Amino acid sequence: MNRRKLSVWQGLTIALLFLGYAGYYLCRSDFSVCLPLIIDDLAAHGISANKAKIRLGAIVSFGVLAYAIGKFLLGGVADFLGGRRNFLAGMGGSILCTLLFSLGGGMPVFTLAWIGNRFVQSTGWAGMVKITSRWFSYSSYGAVMGIISLSYLFGDAAARQFMGVLIGHGLAWRAVFQVAAGTLAVIFILNLLLLKESRTRLGFDEPEVNPLNLFGTEGDQPAPSGLKGLLGPLVSSPVFWVVCFLSLGTTLVRETFNTWTPTYFNQAIGYSKAEAASLSALFPLFGGLAVVISGFVSDRLGRGGRAAIIFWSLLGSAVALFALGSLPMHSRVAPVLLVGLVGFLVIGPYAFLAGAIALDFGGKHGSATSSGIIDGVGYLGGILAGDSMARISVTFGWTGAFLALAGVSLLSSAAGVVYLINQRRAPVAQQA
């Protein structure tokens, strides 16, 4: 009976975390989905479309920078104060900032609101990873984080479809932002009432951590004693920094497509704004399928399975991005399919890094900090997805942007080789 009760509570916890983090994307993807509308709105007030595109791209970059800084500064707070506080604080702050953006009349308010939104949202994922470490044993990290990772993929896809429908029914971009904030507010209330910090609060035993975590026996302790002891084992591990570099490359590609896919489909391929918003959901949707398949296959490939999937997927994504940037497109279907393929090949590896791999590194002791650093380094690369990619696409066209991303994926696959070699040698070193 006790085991059954635990399973019920674990299922509820997964559902709440899934729904909560999917809800984050209502107040994150709204900017990307509404970009063509915001560009038209600014153009109607005397700003040229290209200048508006570059200025809004700069806001995206500032937002990603704020997100990265928040990952470093706020992510690890969950290791000291608990993941639930981080998770709920990110939701509440995002609701307020989204409403502020919708009321803004120009670039200063847009910039302030979007920077604030991305900064507070940086608390969410690390908080969720911390909660996961307090509810599940290491033997199920891959499966649990695979399911939870679908929240930001299918959640992103669903949010884009939902907002595409709103736009198709004639809602202006400000109304879309307000509906997104209201929907997230409902999800916030559900998590506030039902989500628990750990299973020990309900009388269950503490879950087991990975015995190969970077903190040794301390990895089983939920609260670290100090910042030095928390950061030392992480920053002194070479393989940890290889994973951070992988995060940098995959985040740059993912953030570029998350931000600019609706604009690319609208301006370059000729889809309507509503169609472009809906079709942009294919990138996270195919990525979600990859997460499910990658998690299933990696469990059966053994210890080096995740590393092998990371390497081959990133190598394949480089080929797909080269095709997207160099092959002549004689139909409107081929670019859409290639964008979906890139999502499938990039997001599978991306989901491993700040999820199951971060939990393996940190255990209950430093999982939030591990995840925060990995994600933070990744979003330092993601900064380039806004302003830099806007300038590249204006100067060299979308062809230049996709070829640049192909180079990023190729370099990332080289880091994947290093990680693969480490993982295949690690069991021998551990046994010795």
Side-chain angles (χ1 to χ4, degrees), residues 67-89:
Y67 193 71
I69 292 172
K71 289 285 186 179
F72 290 119
L73 296 181
L74 304 179
V77 171
D79 283 324
F80 293 96
L81 300 181
R84 184 175 178 273
R85 287 190 179 95
N86 269 39
F87 193 58
L88 293 174

mmCIF file with all atom_site columns, all heavy atoms in Angstrom, residues 67-89:
data_model
loop_
_atom_site.group_PDB
_atom_site.id
_atom_site.type_symbol
_atom_site.label_atom_id
_atom_site.label_alt_id
_atom_site.label_comp_id
_atom_site.label_asym_id
_atom_site.label_entity_id
_atom_site.label_seq_id
_atom_site.pdbx_PDB_ins_code
_atom_site.Cartn_x
_atom_site.Cartn_y
_atom_site.Cartn_z
_atom_site.occupancy
_atom_site.B_iso_or_equiv
_atom_site.pdbx_formal_charge
_atom_site.auth_seq_id
_atom_site.auth_comp_id
_atom_site.auth_asym_id
_atom_site.auth_atom_id
_atom_site.pdbx_PDB_model_num
ATOM 1   N N   . TYR A 1 67 ? 18.651 35.535 -18.834 1.00 0.00 ? 67 TYR A N   1
ATOM 2   C CA  . TYR A 1 67 ? 18.329 34.147 -18.507 1.00 0.00 ? 67 TYR A CA  1
ATOM 3   C C   . TYR A 1 67 ? 19.581 33.394 -18.078 1.00 0.00 ? 67 TYR A C   1
ATOM 4   O O   . TYR A 1 67 ? 19.567 32.645 -17.093 1.00 0.00 ? 67 TYR A O   1
ATOM 5   C CB  . TYR A 1 67 ? 17.688 33.487 -19.725 1.00 0.00 ? 67 TYR A CB  1
ATOM 6   C CG  . TYR A 1 67 ? 17.019 32.158 -19.464 1.00 0.00 ? 67 TYR A CG  1
ATOM 7   C CD1 . TYR A 1 67 ? 15.835 32.098 -18.732 1.00 0.00 ? 67 TYR A CD1 1
ATOM 8   C CD2 . TYR A 1 67 ? 17.546 30.988 -19.964 1.00 0.00 ? 67 TYR A CD2 1
ATOM 9   C CE1 . TYR A 1 67 ? 15.196 30.882 -18.518 1.00 0.00 ? 67 TYR A CE1 1
ATOM 10  C CE2 . TYR A 1 67 ? 16.929 29.766 -19.757 1.00 0.00 ? 67 TYR A CE2 1
ATOM 11  C CZ  . TYR A 1 67 ? 15.746 29.719 -19.029 1.00 0.00 ? 67 TYR A CZ  1
ATOM 12  O OH  . TYR A 1 67 ? 15.130 28.511 -18.811 1.00 0.00 ? 67 TYR A OH  1
ATOM 13  N N   . ALA A 1 68 ? 20.683 33.607 -18.821 1.00 0.00 ? 68 ALA A N   1
ATOM 14  C CA  . ALA A 1 68 ? 21.946 32.947 -18.471 1.00 0.00 ? 68 ALA A CA  1
ATOM 15  C C   . ALA A 1 68 ? 22.453 33.416 -17.109 1.00 0.00 ? 68 ALA A C   1
ATOM 16  O O   . ALA A 1 68 ? 22.883 32.606 -16.275 1.00 0.00 ? 68 ALA A O   1
ATOM 17  C CB  . ALA A 1 68 ? 22.993 33.229 -19.557 1.00 0.00 ? 68 ALA A CB  1
ATOM 18  N N   . ILE A 1 69 ? 22.405 34.724 -16.866 1.00 0.00 ? 69 ILE A N   1
ATOM 19  C CA  . ILE A 1 69 ? 22.848 35.263 -15.572 1.00 0.00 ? 69 ILE A CA  1
ATOM 20  C C   . ILE A 1 69 ? 21.988 34.694 -14.444 1.00 0.00 ? 69 ILE A C   1
ATOM 21  O O   . ILE A 1 69 ? 22.490 34.311 -13.381 1.00 0.00 ? 69 ILE A O   1
ATOM 22  C CB  . ILE A 1 69 ? 22.789 36.805 -15.582 1.00 0.00 ? 69 ILE A CB  1
ATOM 23  C CG1 . ILE A 1 69 ? 23.840 37.366 -16.546 1.00 0.00 ? 69 ILE A CG1 1
ATOM 24  C CG2 . ILE A 1 69 ? 23.019 37.368 -14.175 1.00 0.00 ? 69 ILE A CG2 1
ATOM 25  C CD1 . ILE A 1 69 ? 23.732 38.858 -16.765 1.00 0.00 ? 69 ILE A CD1 1
ATOM 26  N N   . GLY A 1 70 ? 20.682 34.619 -14.700 1.00 0.00 ? 70 GLY A N   1
ATOM 27  C CA  . GLY A 1 70 ? 19.791 34.051 -13.698 1.00 0.00 ? 70 GLY A CA  1
ATOM 28  C C   . GLY A 1 70 ? 20.096 32.597 -13.408 1.00 0.00 ? 70 GLY A C   1
ATOM 29  O O   . GLY A 1 70 ? 19.988 32.148 -12.255 1.00 0.00 ? 70 GLY A O   1
ATOM 30  N N   . LYS A 1 71 ? 20.485 31.842 -14.438 1.00 0.00 ? 71 LYS A N   1
ATOM 31  C CA  . LYS A 1 71 ? 20.858 30.444 -14.230 1.00 0.00 ? 71 LYS A CA  1
ATOM 32  C C   . LYS A 1 71 ? 22.023 30.339 -13.250 1.00 0.00 ? 71 LYS A C   1
ATOM 33  O O   . LYS A 1 71 ? 22.034 29.473 -12.361 1.00 0.00 ? 71 LYS A O   1
ATOM 34  C CB  . LYS A 1 71 ? 21.239 29.795 -15.558 1.00 0.00 ? 71 LYS A CB  1
ATOM 35  C CG  . LYS A 1 71 ? 20.086 29.561 -16.512 1.00 0.00 ? 71 LYS A CG  1
ATOM 36  C CD  . LYS A 1 71 ? 19.242 28.386 -16.080 1.00 0.00 ? 71 LYS A CD  1
ATOM 37  C CE  . LYS A 1 71 ? 18.178 28.060 -17.101 1.00 0.00 ? 71 LYS A CE  1
ATOM 38  N NZ  . LYS A 1 71 ? 17.350 26.903 -16.712 1.00 0.00 ? 71 LYS A NZ  1
ATOM 39  N N   . PHE A 1 72 ? 23.034 31.228 -13.425 1.00 0.00 ? 72 PHE A N   1
ATOM 40  C CA  . PHE A 1 72 ? 24.201 31.199 -12.541 1.00 0.00 ? 72 PHE A CA  1
ATOM 41  C C   . PHE A 1 72 ? 23.858 31.702 -11.132 1.00 0.00 ? 72 PHE A C   1
ATOM 42  O O   . PHE A 1 72 ? 24.289 31.119 -10.138 1.00 0.00 ? 72 PHE A O   1
ATOM 43  C CB  . PHE A 1 72 ? 25.323 32.056 -13.125 1.00 0.00 ? 72 PHE A CB  1
ATOM 44  C CG  . PHE A 1 72 ? 25.954 31.479 -14.355 1.00 0.00 ? 72 PHE A CG  1
ATOM 45  C CD1 . PHE A 1 72 ? 25.904 32.165 -15.563 1.00 0.00 ? 72 PHE A CD1 1
ATOM 46  C CD2 . PHE A 1 72 ? 26.601 30.257 -14.327 1.00 0.00 ? 72 PHE A CD2 1
ATOM 47  C CE1 . PHE A 1 72 ? 26.471 31.643 -16.707 1.00 0.00 ? 72 PHE A CE1 1
ATOM 48  C CE2 . PHE A 1 72 ? 27.178 29.719 -15.471 1.00 0.00 ? 72 PHE A CE2 1
ATOM 49  C CZ  . PHE A 1 72 ? 27.123 30.418 -16.659 1.00 0.00 ? 72 PHE A CZ  1
ATOM 50  N N   . LEU A 1 73 ? 23.082 32.776 -11.044 1.00 0.00 ? 73 LEU A N   1
ATOM 51  C CA  . LEU A 1 73 ? 22.836 33.426 -9.752  1.00 0.00 ? 73 LEU A CA  1
ATOM 52  C C   . LEU A 1 73 ? 21.677 32.798 -8.975  1.00 0.00 ? 73 LEU A C   1
ATOM 53  O O   . LEU A 1 73 ? 21.739 32.712 -7.739  1.00 0.00 ? 73 LEU A O   1
ATOM 54  C CB  . LEU A 1 73 ? 22.544 34.917 -9.964  1.00 0.00 ? 73 LEU A CB  1
ATOM 55  C CG  . LEU A 1 73 ? 23.669 35.771 -10.553 1.00 0.00 ? 73 LEU A CG  1
ATOM 56  C CD1 . LEU A 1 73 ? 23.219 37.218 -10.664 1.00 0.00 ? 73 LEU A CD1 1
ATOM 57  C CD2 . LEU A 1 73 ? 24.932 35.668 -9.707  1.00 0.00 ? 73 LEU A CD2 1
ATOM 58  N N   . LEU A 1 74 ? 20.627 32.380 -9.665  1.00 0.00 ? 74 LEU A N   1
ATOM 59  C CA  . LEU A 1 74 ? 19.421 31.931 -8.992  1.00 0.00 ? 74 LEU A CA  1
ATOM 60  C C   . LEU A 1 74 ? 19.220 30.423 -9.019  1.00 0.00 ? 74 LEU A C   1
ATOM 61  O O   . LEU A 1 74 ? 18.516 29.888 -8.155  1.00 0.00 ? 74 LEU A O   1
ATOM 62  C CB  . LEU A 1 74 ? 18.190 32.612 -9.623  1.00 0.00 ? 74 LEU A CB  1
ATOM 63  C CG  . LEU A 1 74 ? 18.186 34.141 -9.649  1.00 0.00 ? 74 LEU A CG  1
ATOM 64  C CD1 . LEU A 1 74 ? 16.925 34.653 -10.330 1.00 0.00 ? 74 LEU A CD1 1
ATOM 65  C CD2 . LEU A 1 74 ? 18.288 34.709 -8.246  1.00 0.00 ? 74 LEU A CD2 1
ATOM 66  N N   . GLY A 1 75 ? 19.808 29.743 -10.012 1.00 0.00 ? 75 GLY A N   1
ATOM 67  C CA  . GLY A 1 75 ? 19.591 28.301 -10.133 1.00 0.00 ? 75 GLY A CA  1
ATOM 68  C C   . GLY A 1 75 ? 20.032 27.549 -8.890  1.00 0.00 ? 75 GLY A C   1
ATOM 69  O O   . GLY A 1 75 ? 19.311 26.714 -8.340  1.00 0.00 ? 75 GLY A O   1
ATOM 70  N N   . GLY A 1 76 ? 21.239 27.863 -8.398  1.00 0.00 ? 76 GLY A N   1
ATOM 71  C CA  . GLY A 1 76 ? 21.772 27.167 -7.240  1.00 0.00 ? 76 GLY A CA  1
ATOM 72  C C   . GLY A 1 76 ? 21.066 27.472 -5.939  1.00 0.00 ? 76 GLY A C   1
ATOM 73  O O   . GLY A 1 76 ? 21.233 26.755 -4.943  1.00 0.00 ? 76 GLY A O   1
ATOM 74  N N   . VAL A 1 77 ? 20.256 28.534 -5.921  1.00 0.00 ? 77 VAL A N   1
ATOM 75  C CA  . VAL A 1 77 ? 19.507 28.876 -4.707  1.00 0.00 ? 77 VAL A CA  1
ATOM 76  C C   . VAL A 1 77 ? 18.602 27.714 -4.302  1.00 0.00 ? 77 VAL A C   1
ATOM 77  O O   . VAL A 1 77 ? 18.369 27.480 -3.105  1.00 0.00 ? 77 VAL A O   1
ATOM 78  C CB  . VAL A 1 77 ? 18.672 30.156 -4.939  1.00 0.00 ? 77 VAL A CB  1
ATOM 79  C CG1 . VAL A 1 77 ? 17.732 30.411 -3.774  1.00 0.00 ? 77 VAL A CG1 1
ATOM 80  C CG2 . VAL A 1 77 ? 19.598 31.355 -5.141  1.00 0.00 ? 77 VAL A CG2 1
ATOM 81  N N   . ALA A 1 78 ? 18.121 26.966 -5.278  1.00 0.00 ? 78 ALA A N   1
ATOM 82  C CA  . ALA A 1 78 ? 17.240 25.840 -4.979  1.00 0.00 ? 78 ALA A CA  1
ATOM 83  C C   . ALA A 1 78 ? 17.940 24.778 -4.144  1.00 0.00 ? 78 ALA A C   1
ATOM 84  O O   . ALA A 1 78 ? 17.284 24.063 -3.370  1.00 0.00 ? 78 ALA A O   1
ATOM 85  C CB  . ALA A 1 78 ? 16.723 25.226 -6.284  1.00 0.00 ? 78 ALA A CB  1
ATOM 86  N N   . ASP A 1 79 ? 19.272 24.641 -4.271  1.00 0.00 ? 79 ASP A N   1
ATOM 87  C CA  . ASP A 1 79 ? 19.994 23.664 -3.451  1.00 0.00 ? 79 ASP A CA  1
ATOM 88  C C   . ASP A 1 79 ? 19.979 24.055 -1.977  1.00 0.00 ? 79 ASP A C   1
ATOM 89  O O   . ASP A 1 79 ? 20.067 23.198 -1.095  1.00 0.00 ? 79 ASP A O   1
ATOM 90  C CB  . ASP A 1 79 ? 21.444 23.518 -3.943  1.00 0.00 ? 79 ASP A CB  1
ATOM 91  C CG  . ASP A 1 79 ? 21.552 22.668 -5.193  1.00 0.00 ? 79 ASP A CG  1
ATOM 92  O OD1 . ASP A 1 79 ? 20.777 21.703 -5.308  1.00 0.00 ? 79 ASP A OD1 1
ATOM 93  O OD2 . ASP A 1 79 ? 22.406 22.970 -6.053  1.00 0.00 ? 79 ASP A OD2 1
ATOM 94  N N   . PHE A 1 80 ? 19.872 25.348 -1.699  1.00 0.00 ? 80 PHE A N   1
ATOM 95  C CA  . PHE A 1 80 ? 19.863 25.825 -0.313  1.00 0.00 ? 80 PHE A CA  1
ATOM 96  C C   . PHE A 1 80 ? 18.449 26.010 0.233   1.00 0.00 ? 80 PHE A C   1
ATOM 97  O O   . PHE A 1 80 ? 18.176 25.683 1.389   1.00 0.00 ? 80 PHE A O   1
ATOM 98  C CB  . PHE A 1 80 ? 20.619 27.156 -0.213  1.00 0.00 ? 80 PHE A CB  1
ATOM 99  C CG  . PHE A 1 80 ? 22.088 27.048 -0.474  1.00 0.00 ? 80 PHE A CG  1
ATOM 100 C CD1 . PHE A 1 80 ? 22.608 27.305 -1.732  1.00 0.00 ? 80 PHE A CD1 1
ATOM 101 C CD2 . PHE A 1 80 ? 22.960 26.686 0.539   1.00 0.00 ? 80 PHE A CD2 1
ATOM 102 C CE1 . PHE A 1 80 ? 23.974 27.211 -1.977  1.00 0.00 ? 80 PHE A CE1 1
ATOM 103 C CE2 . PHE A 1 80 ? 24.325 26.585 0.312   1.00 0.00 ? 80 PHE A CE2 1
ATOM 104 C CZ  . PHE A 1 80 ? 24.837 26.844 -0.949  1.00 0.00 ? 80 PHE A CZ  1
ATOM 105 N N   . LEU A 1 81 ? 17.531 26.525 -0.587  1.00 0.00 ? 81 LEU A N   1
ATOM 106 C CA  . LEU A 1 81 ? 16.198 26.887 -0.104  1.00 0.00 ? 81 LEU A CA  1
ATOM 107 C C   . LEU A 1 81 ? 15.101 25.934 -0.544  1.00 0.00 ? 81 LEU A C   1
ATOM 108 O O   . LEU A 1 81 ? 13.972 26.026 -0.058  1.00 0.00 ? 81 LEU A O   1
ATOM 109 C CB  . LEU A 1 81 ? 15.840 28.309 -0.569  1.00 0.00 ? 81 LEU A CB  1
ATOM 110 C CG  . LEU A 1 81 ? 16.767 29.432 -0.105  1.00 0.00 ? 81 LEU A CG  1
ATOM 111 C CD1 . LEU A 1 81 ? 16.278 30.772 -0.630  1.00 0.00 ? 81 LEU A CD1 1
ATOM 112 C CD2 . LEU A 1 81 ? 16.870 29.466 1.419   1.00 0.00 ? 81 LEU A CD2 1
ATOM 113 N N   . GLY A 1 82 ? 15.401 25.052 -1.473  1.00 0.00 ? 82 GLY A N   1
ATOM 114 C CA  . GLY A 1 82 ? 14.387 24.122 -1.959  1.00 0.00 ? 82 GLY A CA  1
ATOM 115 C C   . GLY A 1 82 ? 13.908 24.464 -3.352  1.00 0.00 ? 82 GLY A C   1
ATOM 116 O O   . GLY A 1 82 ? 13.833 25.631 -3.736  1.00 0.00 ? 82 GLY A O   1
ATOM 117 N N   . GLY A 1 83 ? 13.562 23.423 -4.124  1.00 0.00 ? 83 GLY A N   1
ATOM 118 C CA  . GLY A 1 83 ? 13.171 23.624 -5.511  1.00 0.00 ? 83 GLY A CA  1
ATOM 119 C C   . GLY A 1 83 ? 11.793 24.222 -5.698  1.00 0.00 ? 83 GLY A C   1
ATOM 120 O O   . GLY A 1 83 ? 11.544 24.932 -6.671  1.00 0.00 ? 83 GLY A O   1
ATOM 121 N N   . ARG A 1 84 ? 10.878 23.958 -4.755  1.00 0.00 ? 84 ARG A N   1
ATOM 122 C CA  . ARG A 1 84 ? 9.502  24.429 -4.911  1.00 0.00 ? 84 ARG A CA  1
ATOM 123 C C   . ARG A 1 84 ? 9.444  25.954 -4.959  1.00 0.00 ? 84 ARG A C   1
ATOM 124 O O   . ARG A 1 84 ? 8.702  26.536 -5.758  1.00 0.00 ? 84 ARG A O   1
ATOM 125 C CB  . ARG A 1 84 ? 8.639  23.885 -3.772  1.00 0.00 ? 84 ARG A CB  1
ATOM 126 C CG  . ARG A 1 84 ? 7.160  24.239 -3.875  1.00 0.00 ? 84 ARG A CG  1
ATOM 127 C CD  . ARG A 1 84 ? 6.380  23.550 -2.765  1.00 0.00 ? 84 ARG A CD  1
ATOM 128 N NE  . ARG A 1 84 ? 4.964  23.895 -2.807  1.00 0.00 ? 84 ARG A NE  1
ATOM 129 C CZ  . ARG A 1 84 ? 4.424  24.942 -2.215  1.00 0.00 ? 84 ARG A CZ  1
ATOM 130 N NH1 . ARG A 1 84 ? 5.198  25.787 -1.506  1.00 0.00 ? 84 ARG A NH1 1
ATOM 131 N NH2 . ARG A 1 84 ? 3.126  25.185 -2.305  1.00 0.00 ? 84 ARG A NH2 1
ATOM 132 N N   . ARG A 1 85 ? 10.223 26.613 -4.089  1.00 0.00 ? 85 ARG A N   1
ATOM 133 C CA  . ARG A 1 85 ? 10.225 28.073 -4.079  1.00 0.00 ? 85 ARG A CA  1
ATOM 134 C C   . ARG A 1 85 ? 10.696 28.624 -5.422  1.00 0.00 ? 85 ARG A C   1
ATOM 135 O O   . ARG A 1 85 ? 10.126 29.573 -5.965  1.00 0.00 ? 85 ARG A O   1
ATOM 136 C CB  . ARG A 1 85 ? 11.125 28.578 -2.953  1.00 0.00 ? 85 ARG A CB  1
ATOM 137 C CG  . ARG A 1 85 ? 10.556 28.415 -1.554  1.00 0.00 ? 85 ARG A CG  1
ATOM 138 C CD  . ARG A 1 85 ? 11.407 29.165 -0.548  1.00 0.00 ? 85 ARG A CD  1
ATOM 139 N NE  . ARG A 1 85 ? 10.880 29.052 0.808   1.00 0.00 ? 85 ARG A NE  1
ATOM 140 C CZ  . ARG A 1 85 ? 11.273 28.162 1.694   1.00 0.00 ? 85 ARG A CZ  1
ATOM 141 N NH1 . ARG A 1 85 ? 12.225 27.289 1.367   1.00 0.00 ? 85 ARG A NH1 1
ATOM 142 N NH2 . ARG A 1 85 ? 10.765 28.130 2.908   1.00 0.00 ? 85 ARG A NH2 1
ATOM 143 N N   . ASN A 1 86 ? 11.790 28.044 -5.948  1.00 0.00 ? 86 ASN A N   1
ATOM 144 C CA  . ASN A 1 86 ? 12.299 28.482 -7.252  1.00 0.00 ? 86 ASN A CA  1
ATOM 145 C C   . ASN A 1 86 ? 11.254 28.317 -8.346  1.00 0.00 ? 86 ASN A C   1
ATOM 146 O O   . ASN A 1 86 ? 11.024 29.205 -9.174  1.00 0.00 ? 86 ASN A O   1
ATOM 147 C CB  . ASN A 1 86 ? 13.551 27.686 -7.619  1.00 0.00 ? 86 ASN A CB  1
ATOM 148 C CG  . ASN A 1 86 ? 14.824 28.350 -7.159  1.00 0.00 ? 86 ASN A CG  1
ATOM 149 O OD1 . ASN A 1 86 ? 14.888 28.915 -6.070  1.00 0.00 ? 86 ASN A OD1 1
ATOM 150 N ND2 . ASN A 1 86 ? 15.856 28.272 -7.975  1.00 0.00 ? 86 ASN A ND2 1
ATOM 151 N N   . PHE A 1 87 ? 10.621 27.162 -8.350  1.00 0.00 ? 87 PHE A N   1
ATOM 152 C CA  . PHE A 1 87 ? 9.687  26.810 -9.413  1.00 0.00 ? 87 PHE A CA  1
ATOM 153 C C   . PHE A 1 87 ? 8.489  27.767 -9.434  1.00 0.00 ? 87 PHE A C   1
ATOM 154 O O   . PHE A 1 87 ? 8.083  28.273 -10.484 1.00 0.00 ? 87 PHE A O   1
ATOM 155 C CB  . PHE A 1 87 ? 9.223  25.366 -9.210  1.00 0.00 ? 87 PHE A CB  1
ATOM 156 C CG  . PHE A 1 87 ? 8.500  24.774 -10.388 1.00 0.00 ? 87 PHE A CG  1
ATOM 157 C CD1 . PHE A 1 87 ? 9.105  24.705 -11.640 1.00 0.00 ? 87 PHE A CD1 1
ATOM 158 C CD2 . PHE A 1 87 ? 7.222  24.262 -10.249 1.00 0.00 ? 87 PHE A CD2 1
ATOM 159 C CE1 . PHE A 1 87 ? 8.449  24.146 -12.725 1.00 0.00 ? 87 PHE A CE1 1
ATOM 160 C CE2 . PHE A 1 87 ? 6.557  23.702 -11.324 1.00 0.00 ? 87 PHE A CE2 1
ATOM 161 C CZ  . PHE A 1 87 ? 7.165  23.649 -12.561 1.00 0.00 ? 87 PHE A CZ  1
ATOM 162 N N   . LEU A 1 88 ? 7.935  28.031 -8.250  1.00 0.00 ? 88 LEU A N   1
ATOM 163 C CA  . LEU A 1 88 ? 6.767  28.917 -8.162  1.00 0.00 ? 88 LEU A CA  1
ATOM 164 C C   . LEU A 1 88 ? 7.140  30.380 -8.394  1.00 0.00 ? 88 LEU A C   1
ATOM 165 O O   . LEU A 1 88 ? 6.378  31.133 -9.000  1.00 0.00 ? 88 LEU A O   1
ATOM 166 C CB  . LEU A 1 88 ? 6.096  28.753 -6.799  1.00 0.00 ? 88 LEU A CB  1
ATOM 167 C CG  . LEU A 1 88 ? 5.432  27.401 -6.543  1.00 0.00 ? 88 LEU A CG  1
ATOM 168 C CD1 . LEU A 1 88 ? 4.922  27.325 -5.100  1.00 0.00 ? 88 LEU A CD1 1
ATOM 169 C CD2 . LEU A 1 88 ? 4.286  27.158 -7.514  1.00 0.00 ? 88 LEU A CD2 1
ATOM 170 N N   . ALA A 1 89 ? 8.319  30.792 -7.894  1.00 0.00 ? 89 ALA A N   1
ATOM 171 C CA  . ALA A 1 89 ? 8.747  32.182 -8.082  1.00 0.00 ? 89 ALA A CA  1
ATOM 172 C C   . ALA A 1 89 ? 8.914  32.513 -9.561  1.00 0.00 ? 89 ALA A C   1
ATOM 173 O O   . ALA A 1 89 ? 8.555  33.607 -10.014 1.00 0.00 ? 89 ALA A O   1
ATOM 174 C CB  . ALA A 1 89 ? 10.056 32.428 -7.333  1.00 0.00 ? 89 ALA A CB  1
#
